[in-house]
Coordinates of all heavy atoms in Angstrom, one line a residue:
M1 N 6.4 -139.6 29.4 CA 6.4 -138.2 30.0 C 7.8 -138.0 30.7 O 8.3 -136.9 30.6 CB 5.2 -138.1 30.9 CG 5.1 -136.8 31.6 SD 4.7 -135.6 30.3 CE 4.4 -134.2 31.3
K2 N 8.2 -139.0 31.4 CA 9.5 -138.9 32.1 C 10.6 -138.6 31.1 O 11.6 -137.9 31.4 CB 9.8 -140.1 33.0 CG 8.9 -140.3 34.2 CD 9.3 -141.5 35.0 CE 8.3 -141.7 36.1 NZ 8.7 -142.9 36.9
Y3 N 10.6 -139.3 30.0 CA 11.6 -139.2 29.0 C 11.6 -137.7 28.4 O 12.7 -137.1 28.2 CB 11.3 -140.2 27.8 CG 12.3 -140.2 26.8 CD1 13.6 -140.7 27.0 CD2 12.1 -139.6 25.5 CE1 14.5 -140.7 26.0 CE2 13.0 -139.6 24.5 CZ 14.2 -140.2 24.8 OH 15.2 -140.2 23.8
L4 N 10.4 -137.1 28.2 CA 10.3 -135.8 27.8 C 10.9 -134.8 28.8 O 11.7 -133.9 28.4 CB 8.9 -135.4 27.4 CG 8.6 -134.0 26.9 CD1 9.4 -133.8 25.6 CD2 7.2 -133.7 26.8
I5 N 10.6 -135.0 30.0 CA 11.2 -134.1 31.1 C 12.7 -134.2 31.2 O 13.4 -133.2 31.3 CB 10.5 -134.4 32.5 CG1 9.0 -134.1 32.4 CG2 11.2 -133.7 33.6 CD1 8.3 -134.6 33.6
F6 N 13.2 -135.4 31.0 CA 14.6 -135.7 31.0 C 15.3 -134.9 29.8 O 16.3 -134.3 30.0 CB 15.0 -137.2 30.9 CG 16.4 -137.5 30.8 CD1 17.3 -137.3 31.9 CD2 16.9 -137.9 29.6 CE1 18.6 -137.6 31.7 CE2 18.3 -138.2 29.4 CZ 19.1 -138.0 30.5
L7 N 14.7 -135.0 28.7 CA 15.3 -134.3 27.5 C 15.2 -132.8 27.6 O 16.2 -132.1 27.2 CB 14.5 -134.7 26.2 CG 14.8 -136.1 25.7 CD1 13.9 -136.4 24.5 CD2 16.2 -136.3 25.4
L8 N 14.2 -132.3 28.2 CA 14.1 -130.8 28.4 C 15.1 -130.4 29.4 O 15.8 -129.3 29.3 CB 12.7 -130.4 28.9 CG 11.6 -130.5 27.8 CD1 10.2 -130.3 28.4 CD2 11.9 -129.6 26.7
A9 N 15.3 -131.2 30.5 CA 16.3 -130.8 31.5 C 17.7 -130.9 30.9 O 18.6 -130.1 31.1 CB 16.2 -131.8 32.7
L10 N 18.0 -131.9 30.0 CA 19.3 -132.1 29.4 C 19.5 -130.9 28.4 O 20.6 -130.5 28.3 CB 19.3 -133.4 28.7 CG 20.7 -133.9 28.2 CD1 21.7 -133.9 29.3 CD2 20.6 -135.2 27.5
A11 N 18.5 -130.5 27.7 CA 18.7 -129.4 26.7 C 19.1 -128.1 27.4 O 19.7 -127.3 26.8 CB 17.4 -129.2 26.0
G12 N 18.8 -127.9 28.7 CA 19.1 -126.7 29.4 C 20.5 -126.7 29.9 O 21.1 -125.7 30.3
C13 N 21.2 -127.8 29.8 CA 22.6 -127.9 30.2 C 23.6 -127.3 29.2 O 23.4 -127.5 28.0 CB 23.0 -129.3 30.5 SG 22.1 -130.1 31.8
S14 N 24.6 -126.6 29.6 CA 25.6 -126.1 28.7 C 26.9 -126.8 29.0 O 27.4 -126.9 30.1 CB 25.8 -124.6 29.0 OG 26.8 -124.1 28.2
T15 N 27.5 -127.3 27.9 CA 28.7 -128.1 28.1 C 29.8 -127.5 27.2 O 30.5 -128.2 26.5 CB 28.5 -129.6 27.7 OG1 28.0 -129.6 26.3 CG2 27.5 -130.2 28.6
T16 N 30.0 -126.2 27.2 CA 31.1 -125.6 26.5 C 32.4 -125.9 27.2 O 32.5 -125.7 28.4 CB 30.9 -124.1 26.3 OG1 30.8 -123.5 27.6 CG2 29.6 -123.8 25.5
T17 N 33.4 -126.3 26.4 CA 34.7 -126.6 27.0 C 35.6 -125.5 26.7 O 36.7 -125.4 27.3 CB 35.3 -127.9 26.4 OG1 35.3 -127.8 25.0 CG2 34.4 -129.1 26.8
D18 N 35.3 -124.5 25.9 CA 36.2 -123.4 25.5 C 35.7 -122.1 26.2 O 35.7 -121.1 25.6 CB 36.3 -123.3 24.0 CG 36.9 -124.5 23.4 OD1 37.7 -125.1 24.0 OD2 36.5 -124.8 22.2
S19 N 35.4 -122.2 27.5 CA 34.9 -121.0 28.2 C 36.0 -120.0 28.5 O 35.7 -118.9 28.8 CB 34.1 -121.4 29.4 OG 34.9 -122.1 30.3
I20 N 37.2 -120.5 28.6 CA 38.3 -119.6 28.9 C 38.8 -118.9 27.6 O 39.2 -119.6 26.7 CB 39.5 -120.3 29.6 CG1 39.0 -121.0 30.9 CG2 40.6 -119.4 29.9 CD1 40.0 -121.9 31.5
K21 N 38.7 -117.6 27.6 CA 39.2 -116.9 26.4 C 40.7 -116.7 26.5 O 41.1 -116.1 27.5 CB 38.4 -115.6 26.3 CG 36.9 -115.7 26.2 CD 36.5 -116.5 25.0 CE 35.0 -116.6 24.9 NZ 34.6 -117.8 24.2
P22 N 41.4 -117.1 25.5 CA 42.9 -116.9 25.5 C 43.3 -115.4 25.4 O 42.6 -114.6 24.8 CB 43.4 -117.7 24.3 CG 42.2 -118.0 23.5 CD 41.0 -117.8 24.3
F23 N 44.4 -115.1 26.0 CA 45.0 -113.8 25.9 C 45.8 -113.7 24.6 O 46.1 -114.8 24.0 CB 46.0 -113.5 27.1 CG 45.4 -113.4 28.4 CD1 46.1 -114.0 29.5 CD2 44.2 -112.8 28.7 CE1 45.5 -113.9 30.8 CE2 43.7 -112.7 29.9 CZ 44.3 -113.2 31.0
P24 N 46.2 -112.5 24.1 CA 47.0 -112.5 22.9 C 48.3 -113.3 23.0 O 48.8 -113.8 22.0 CB 47.3 -111.0 22.7 CG 46.1 -110.3 23.3 CD 45.7 -111.2 24.5
A25 N 48.9 -113.4 24.2 CA 50.1 -114.2 24.3 C 49.9 -115.7 24.6 O 50.8 -116.4 24.6 CB 50.9 -113.6 25.5
S26 N 48.6 -116.1 24.6 CA 48.3 -117.5 24.9 C 48.6 -118.4 23.7 O 48.7 -117.9 22.5 CB 46.8 -117.7 25.2 OG 46.5 -117.0 26.4
L27 N 48.9 -119.6 23.9 CA 49.2 -120.5 22.8 C 48.0 -120.7 21.8 O 48.2 -121.0 20.6 CB 49.6 -121.9 23.3 CG 50.9 -121.9 24.2 CD1 51.2 -123.3 24.7 CD2 52.1 -121.5 23.3
T28 N 46.8 -120.6 22.3 CA 45.6 -120.8 21.5 C 44.9 -119.6 21.1 O 43.8 -119.6 20.6 CB 44.6 -121.7 22.2 OG1 44.3 -121.1 23.5 CG2 45.2 -123.1 22.5
Y29 N 45.6 -118.4 21.2 CA 44.9 -117.2 20.8 C 44.7 -117.1 19.3 O 45.5 -117.5 18.5 CB 45.8 -116.0 21.2 CG 45.2 -114.6 20.9 CD1 44.1 -114.1 21.6 CD2 45.7 -113.9 19.8 CE1 43.6 -112.9 21.3 CE2 45.1 -112.7 19.5 CZ 44.0 -112.2 20.3 OH 43.5 -111.0 20.0
G30 N 43.5 -116.6 18.9 CA 43.2 -116.4 17.5 C 42.8 -117.7 16.8 O 42.9 -117.8 15.6
G31 N 42.5 -118.7 17.6 CA 42.1 -120.0 17.0 C 43.3 -120.9 16.6 O 43.1 -122.0 16.2
R32 N 44.5 -120.4 16.9 CA 45.7 -121.3 16.6 C 45.8 -122.3 17.7 O 45.4 -122.1 18.8 CB 46.9 -120.4 16.4 CG 47.4 -119.8 17.7 CD 48.6 -118.9 17.5 NE 49.1 -118.4 18.8 CZ 49.2 -117.1 19.0 NH1 48.9 -116.2 18.1 NH2 49.6 -116.7 20.2
S33 N 46.4 -123.4 17.3 CA 46.7 -124.5 18.3 C 47.9 -125.2 17.9 O 47.9 -126.0 16.9 CB 45.5 -125.4 18.4 OG 45.7 -126.4 19.4
P34 N 49.0 -125.0 18.5 CA 50.3 -125.6 18.1 C 50.2 -127.1 18.2 O 49.5 -127.7 19.1 CB 51.3 -125.0 19.0 CG 50.6 -124.7 20.3 CD 49.2 -124.3 19.8
I35 N 51.0 -127.8 17.4 CA 51.1 -129.2 17.4 C 52.3 -129.6 18.3 O 53.4 -129.0 18.1 CB 51.3 -129.8 16.0 CG1 50.0 -129.6 15.2 CG2 51.6 -131.3 16.1 CD1 50.1 -130.0 13.8
V36 N 52.1 -130.4 19.3 CA 53.2 -130.7 20.3 C 53.5 -132.2 20.2 O 52.6 -133.0 19.8 CB 52.8 -130.3 21.7 CG1 52.6 -128.8 21.8 CG2 51.5 -131.0 22.1
N37 N 54.7 -132.5 20.5 CA 55.1 -133.9 20.5 C 55.1 -134.4 22.0 O 56.1 -134.5 22.7 CB 56.6 -134.0 20.0 CG 57.0 -135.5 19.8 OD1 56.2 -136.4 19.9 ND2 58.3 -135.7 19.6
A38 N 53.9 -134.7 22.4 CA 53.6 -135.1 23.8 C 52.5 -136.1 23.8 O 51.7 -136.2 22.9 CB 53.2 -133.9 24.7
P39 N 52.5 -137.0 24.8 CA 51.4 -138.0 24.9 C 50.0 -137.4 24.9 O 49.8 -136.4 25.6 CB 51.7 -138.8 26.2 CG 53.1 -138.5 26.5 CD 53.4 -137.1 26.0
V40 N 49.1 -138.0 24.2 CA 47.7 -137.6 24.2 C 47.2 -137.7 25.7 O 47.4 -138.6 26.4 CB 46.9 -138.5 23.3 CG1 45.4 -138.1 23.4 CG2 47.3 -138.3 21.9
G41 N 46.5 -136.6 26.1 CA 45.9 -136.6 27.4 C 46.8 -136.0 28.5 O 46.4 -135.7 29.6
S42 N 48.1 -135.8 28.1 CA 49.0 -135.1 29.1 C 48.8 -133.6 29.1 O 48.0 -133.1 28.3 CB 50.5 -135.4 28.7 OG 50.8 -134.8 27.4
S43 N 49.3 -133.0 30.1 CA 49.1 -131.6 30.3 C 50.5 -130.9 30.6 O 51.4 -131.5 31.0 CB 48.1 -131.3 31.4 OG 48.6 -131.8 32.6
F44 N 50.5 -129.6 30.3 CA 51.7 -128.8 30.6 C 51.2 -127.4 30.9 O 50.1 -126.9 30.6 CB 52.7 -128.8 29.5 CG 52.2 -128.2 28.2 CD1 52.4 -126.9 27.9 CD2 51.5 -129.0 27.3 CE1 51.9 -126.4 26.7 CE2 51.0 -128.5 26.1 CZ 51.2 -127.2 25.8
S45 N 52.1 -126.6 31.6 CA 51.7 -125.2 32.0 C 52.5 -124.3 31.1 O 53.6 -124.6 30.6 CB 52.0 -125.0 33.4 OG 53.4 -125.1 33.7
Y46 N 52.0 -123.1 31.0 CA 52.7 -122.0 30.2 C 52.4 -120.7 30.9 O 51.3 -120.4 31.3 CB 52.0 -122.0 28.8 CG 52.6 -121.0 27.8 CD1 53.8 -121.2 27.3 CD2 51.9 -119.9 27.4 CE1 54.4 -120.3 26.3 CE2 52.4 -119.0 26.5 CZ 53.6 -119.2 26.0 OH 54.1 -118.3 25.1
D47 N 53.5 -119.9 31.1 CA 53.4 -118.6 31.8 C 53.1 -117.6 30.7 O 53.7 -117.5 29.7 CB 54.7 -118.3 32.5 CG 54.9 -119.2 33.7 OD1 53.9 -119.8 34.2 OD2 56.1 -119.3 34.2
V48 N 52.2 -116.7 31.0 CA 51.8 -115.6 30.1 C 51.4 -114.4 30.9 O 51.1 -114.4 32.1 CB 50.6 -116.2 29.3 CG1 49.4 -116.4 30.1 CG2 50.2 -115.2 28.1
R49 N 51.5 -113.2 30.2 CA 51.1 -112.0 30.8 C 49.9 -111.4 30.0 O 49.8 -111.6 28.8 CB 52.2 -110.9 30.8 CG 53.3 -111.3 31.7 CD 54.4 -110.2 31.7 NE 55.5 -110.5 32.5 CZ 55.7 -110.0 33.8 NH1 54.8 -109.2 34.3 NH2 56.7 -110.4 34.5
D50 N 49.0 -110.8 30.7 CA 47.8 -110.1 30.0 C 48.2 -108.7 29.5 O 49.4 -108.3 29.7 CB 46.6 -110.1 30.8 CG 46.6 -109.3 32.1 OD1 47.7 -108.6 32.3 OD2 45.7 -109.2 32.8
E51 N 47.3 -108.0 29.0 CA 47.6 -106.7 28.5 C 47.9 -105.6 29.6 O 48.4 -104.6 29.3 CB 46.4 -106.1 27.6 CG 45.1 -106.0 28.4 CD 44.3 -107.3 28.3 OE1 44.7 -108.4 28.0 OE2 43.1 -107.2 28.7
F52 N 47.6 -106.0 30.8 CA 47.9 -105.1 31.9 C 49.2 -105.5 32.6 O 49.6 -104.8 33.6 CB 46.8 -105.1 32.9 CG 45.5 -104.8 32.3 CD1 44.5 -105.8 32.2 CD2 45.2 -103.5 31.9 CE1 43.3 -105.5 31.6 CE2 44.0 -103.2 31.3 CZ 43.0 -104.2 31.1
G53 N 49.9 -106.5 32.2 CA 51.1 -107.0 32.8 C 51.0 -108.0 33.9 O 52.0 -108.4 34.5
D54 N 49.8 -108.4 34.2 CA 49.5 -109.4 35.2 C 50.0 -110.7 34.7 O 49.8 -111.1 33.6 CB 48.1 -109.4 35.6 CG 47.6 -108.1 36.3 OD1 48.4 -107.4 36.8 OD2 46.4 -107.9 36.2
R55 N 50.6 -111.5 35.6 CA 51.2 -112.8 35.3 C 50.2 -113.9 35.5 O 49.5 -113.9 36.6 CB 52.5 -113.0 36.0 CG 53.6 -112.1 35.6 CD 54.8 -112.2 36.4 NE 55.3 -113.6 36.4 CZ 56.2 -114.1 37.2 NH1 56.8 -113.3 38.0 NH2 56.5 -115.3 37.2
Y56 N 50.1 -114.8 34.6 CA 49.2 -116.0 34.7 C 49.9 -117.2 34.4 O 50.9 -117.2 33.6 CB 48.0 -115.8 33.8 CG 47.0 -114.7 34.2 CD1 47.3 -113.4 33.8 CD2 45.9 -115.0 34.9 CE1 46.4 -112.4 34.1 CE2 45.0 -114.0 35.2 CZ 45.3 -112.7 34.8 OH 44.4 -111.7 35.1
Q57 N 49.4 -118.3 34.9 CA 49.9 -119.7 34.5 C 48.7 -120.4 33.8 O 47.7 -120.5 34.5 CB 50.4 -120.5 35.6 CG 51.1 -121.8 35.2 CD 51.7 -122.5 36.4 OE1 51.0 -122.7 37.4 NE2 53.0 -122.7 36.3
E58 N 48.9 -120.8 32.6 CA 47.8 -121.5 31.9 C 48.1 -123.0 31.8 O 49.3 -123.3 31.7 CB 47.6 -120.9 30.5 CG 47.2 -119.5 30.4 CD 47.1 -119.0 29.0 OE1 47.8 -119.4 28.1 OE2 46.3 -118.1 28.9
L59 N 47.1 -123.8 32.0 CA 47.3 -125.2 31.9 C 46.6 -125.7 30.6 O 45.5 -125.4 30.3 CB 46.6 -125.9 33.1 CG 46.7 -127.4 33.1 CD1 48.2 -127.9 33.3 CD2 45.8 -128.0 34.2
Y60 N 47.4 -126.4 29.8 CA 47.0 -126.9 28.5 C 46.9 -128.5 28.5 O 47.7 -129.1 29.2 CB 47.9 -126.5 27.4 CG 47.8 -125.0 27.1 CD1 48.6 -124.1 27.7 CD2 47.0 -124.6 26.1 CE1 48.6 -122.8 27.5 CE2 46.9 -123.2 25.8 CZ 47.7 -122.3 26.5 OH 47.6 -121.0 26.2
E61 N 46.0 -129.0 27.8 CA 45.9 -130.5 27.6 C 46.1 -130.8 26.2 O 45.7 -130.1 25.3 CB 44.5 -130.9 28.0 CG 44.2 -132.4 27.9 CD 42.8 -132.8 28.2 OE1 41.9 -132.1 27.7 OE2 42.6 -133.7 28.9
V62 N 46.8 -131.9 25.9 CA 47.1 -132.4 24.6 C 45.9 -133.3 24.1 O 45.6 -134.2 24.7 CB 48.4 -133.2 24.5 CG1 48.7 -133.7 23.1 CG2 49.6 -132.4 25.1
K63 N 45.4 -132.8 23.0 CA 44.2 -133.6 22.4 C 44.7 -134.7 21.5 O 45.9 -134.9 21.3 CB 43.3 -132.6 21.6 CG 42.8 -131.5 22.4 CD 41.8 -130.6 21.7 CE 42.3 -130.0 20.4 NZ 41.3 -129.1 19.8
A64 N 43.8 -135.5 21.0 CA 44.1 -136.7 20.2 C 44.9 -136.4 18.9 O 45.7 -137.2 18.5 CB 42.8 -137.5 19.9
D65 N 44.7 -135.2 18.4 CA 45.4 -134.8 17.2 C 46.7 -134.1 17.5 O 47.3 -133.5 16.6 CB 44.5 -134.0 16.2 CG 44.1 -132.7 16.9 OD1 44.4 -132.5 18.1 OD2 43.4 -131.9 16.2
H66 N 47.1 -134.1 18.7 CA 48.4 -133.5 19.2 C 48.3 -132.0 19.2 O 49.4 -131.3 19.3 CB 49.6 -134.0 18.5 CG 49.9 -135.5 18.9 ND1 50.6 -135.8 20.1 CD2 49.6 -136.6 18.4 CE1 50.6 -137.1 20.2 NE2 50.0 -137.6 19.2
T67 N 47.2 -131.4 19.0 CA 47.0 -129.9 19.3 C 46.7 -129.8 20.7 O 46.5 -130.7 21.5 CB 45.9 -129.3 18.4 OG1 44.7 -130.0 18.6 CG2 46.3 -129.5 16.9
V68 N 46.6 -128.5 21.2 CA 46.4 -128.3 22.6 C 45.1 -127.5 22.9 O 44.6 -126.9 22.0 CB 47.6 -127.5 23.2 CG1 48.9 -128.3 23.2 CG2 47.7 -126.1 22.6
R69 N 44.6 -127.7 24.1 CA 43.4 -127.1 24.5 C 43.6 -126.4 25.8 O 44.2 -127.0 26.8 CB 42.2 -128.1 24.7 CG 40.9 -127.6 25.2 CD 39.9 -128.6 25.3 NE 40.1 -129.6 26.4 CZ 39.6 -129.4 27.6 NH1 38.8 -128.4 27.9 NH2 39.9 -130.3 28.5
L70 N 43.2 -125.1 26.0 CA 43.4 -124.4 27.2 C 42.4 -124.9 28.2 O 41.2 -124.8 28.0 CB 43.2 -122.9 26.9 CG 43.3 -121.9 28.1 CD1 44.6 -122.0 28.8 CD2 43.0 -120.5 27.7
V71 N 42.9 -125.4 29.3 CA 42.0 -126.0 30.3 C 41.7 -125.0 31.5 O 40.5 -124.8 31.8 CB 42.6 -127.2 30.9 CG1 41.8 -127.8 32.0 CG2 42.9 -128.3 29.8
T72 N 42.7 -124.4 32.0 CA 42.5 -123.4 33.1 C 43.6 -122.4 33.1 O 44.6 -122.5 32.5 CB 42.4 -124.2 34.5 OG1 42.0 -123.3 35.5 CG2 43.8 -124.8 34.8
R73 N 43.3 -121.3 33.9 CA 44.3 -120.2 34.0 C 44.3 -119.8 35.5 O 43.3 -119.7 36.1 CB 43.8 -119.1 33.2 CG 44.8 -117.9 33.3 CD 44.3 -116.7 32.4 NE 44.3 -117.0 31.0 CZ 43.2 -116.8 30.2 NH1 42.2 -116.3 30.7 NH2 43.3 -117.1 28.9
F74 N 45.5 -119.6 36.0 CA 45.7 -119.2 37.4 C 46.5 -117.9 37.4 O 47.6 -117.8 36.9 CB 46.4 -120.3 38.2 CG 46.8 -120.0 39.6 CD1 45.8 -119.9 40.5 CD2 48.1 -119.7 39.9 CE1 46.1 -119.5 41.8 CE2 48.4 -119.4 41.2 CZ 47.5 -119.3 42.2
K75 N 46.0 -116.9 38.1 CA 46.7 -115.6 38.3 C 47.6 -115.7 39.5 O 47.2 -116.0 40.6 CB 45.7 -114.5 38.5 CG 46.4 -113.1 38.5 CD 45.3 -112.0 38.6 CE 45.9 -110.7 38.7 NZ 44.9 -109.6 38.7
Y76 N 48.9 -115.5 39.3 CA 49.8 -115.7 40.4 C 50.6 -114.5 40.8 O 51.3 -114.6 41.8 CB 50.7 -116.9 40.2 CG 51.7 -116.9 39.1 CD1 53.0 -116.4 39.2 CD2 51.4 -117.4 37.8 CE1 53.9 -116.4 38.2 CE2 52.3 -117.4 36.8 CZ 53.5 -116.9 37.0 OH 54.4 -116.9 36.0
S77 N 50.5 -113.4 40.1 CA 51.1 -112.2 40.6 C 50.6 -111.0 39.9 O 50.0 -111.1 38.8 CB 52.6 -112.2 40.5 OG 53.0 -111.9 39.2
R78 N 50.8 -109.8 40.4 CA 50.3 -108.6 39.8 C 51.5 -107.7 39.7 O 52.3 -107.5 40.6 CB 49.2 -108.0 40.7 CG 48.7 -106.7 40.1 CD 47.5 -106.2 40.9 NE 47.0 -105.0 40.4 CZ 46.1 -104.8 39.4 NH1 45.7 -105.9 38.8 NH2 45.7 -103.6 39.0
S79 N 51.6 -107.1 38.5 CA 52.7 -106.1 38.3 C 52.3 -104.7 38.7 O 51.1 -104.4 38.6 CB 53.2 -106.1 36.9 OG 52.1 -105.6 36.1
F80 N 53.2 -103.9 39.2 CA 52.8 -102.6 39.7 C 53.5 -101.5 38.9 O 54.5 -101.7 38.3 CB 53.2 -102.4 41.2 CG 52.4 -103.3 42.0 CD1 52.8 -104.5 42.5 CD2 51.1 -103.0 42.4 CE1 52.1 -105.4 43.3 CE2 50.3 -103.7 43.2 CZ 50.8 -105.0 43.7

């Protein structure tokens, strides 16, 4: 019975890693993912603007196949 309750609780968990939707100027927009010559697991930032001109800094992580994954995005200024 405890095993069943554990499985039901685990089934309710959501573990999506791609919850951040890329902007058109993002490196991973449209399903693309550039291949980079960087150590696996390393990260780098990329500055991007959205369709309203607001500036963001995106953090990417290098995956095992040397493609990148968008990890987080930080808004650091607003254009007027």
